[in-house]
């Protein structure tokens, strides 16, 4: 029997593949390569454009846990941060200390609820 490997990719537009002409983004490419070279993988792309660490912290549980039934091997890949650093109205969308605290909270909560967690990014951008 093949393993039931499920991974939720949770984060921002980079996870969603916004701007990718193939509409895969890095998460889609990782899923495709993993599936070709290893065990079958069920990948859930849960990237949302303009999401911050506040947003990810607020939604990961409701979006990921229903996708991980008993008996599956599960993991979560997180990628966020660029939107936290965006300046709007003269202020960062999420202050650096809160962004770091959100990551710490996620790293505390996720492994006990689902299994391993992988953190990617934030990815480099050309914007100031």
């Amino acid at each position: 029997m093949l393993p039931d490997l499920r991974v939720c990719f949770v984060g921002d537009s980079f996870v969603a593949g916004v701007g990718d002409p193939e509409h895969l983004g890095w998460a889609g490419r990782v899923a495709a390569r993993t599936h070709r070279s290893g065990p079958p993988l069920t990948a859930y792309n849960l990237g949302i454009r303009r999401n911050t660490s506040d947003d990810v912290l607020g939604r990961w549980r409701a979006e990921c846990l229903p996708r991980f039934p008993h008996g599956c091997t599960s993991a979560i890949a997180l990628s966020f941060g660029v939107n936290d650093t965006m300046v709007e109205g003269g202020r960062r969308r999420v202050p650096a200390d809160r962004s770091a605290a959100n990551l710490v909270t996620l790293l505390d909560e996720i492994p006990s609820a689902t299994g391993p967690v992988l953190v990617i990014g934030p990815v480099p951008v050309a914007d100031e």
Side-chain angles (χ1 to χ4, degrees), residues 53-97:
S53 61
D54 288 340
D55 299 319
V56 171
L57 179 61
R59 70 183 174 90
W60 81 267
R61 189 176 299 274
E63 293 187 10
C64 295
L65 294 184
R67 291 173 167 87
F68 298 149
H70 180 72
C72 77
T73 300
S74 59
I76 294 179
L78 298 172
S79 183
F80 56 82
V82 173
N83 291 310
D84 288 14
T85 66
M86 300 296 294
V87 176
E88 291 181 350
R91 296 186 318 191
R92 290 193 190 272
R93 290 187 62 205
V94 179
D97 59 339

Side-chain angles (χ1 to χ4, degrees), residues 4 21 27 93 101 117:
D4 183 4
R93 290 187 62 205
V117 62

Side-chain angles (χ1 to χ4, degrees), residues 12-64:
D12 55 22
S13 58
F14 292 105
V15 174
V18 172
D20 178 3
E22 295 179 30
H23 302 280
L24 293 172
W26 68 264
R29 286 175 172 75
V30 166
R33 185 171 185 146
T34 300
H35 190 85
R36 282 192 308 268
S37 64
L41 170 68
T42 301
Y44 299 99
N45 189 322
L46 302 175
I48 298 177
R49 193 173 195 170
R50 290 188 45 84
N51 255 201
T52 65
S53 61
D54 288 340
D55 299 319
V56 171
L57 179 61
R59 70 183 174 90
W60 81 267
R61 189 176 299 274
E63 293 187 10
C64 295

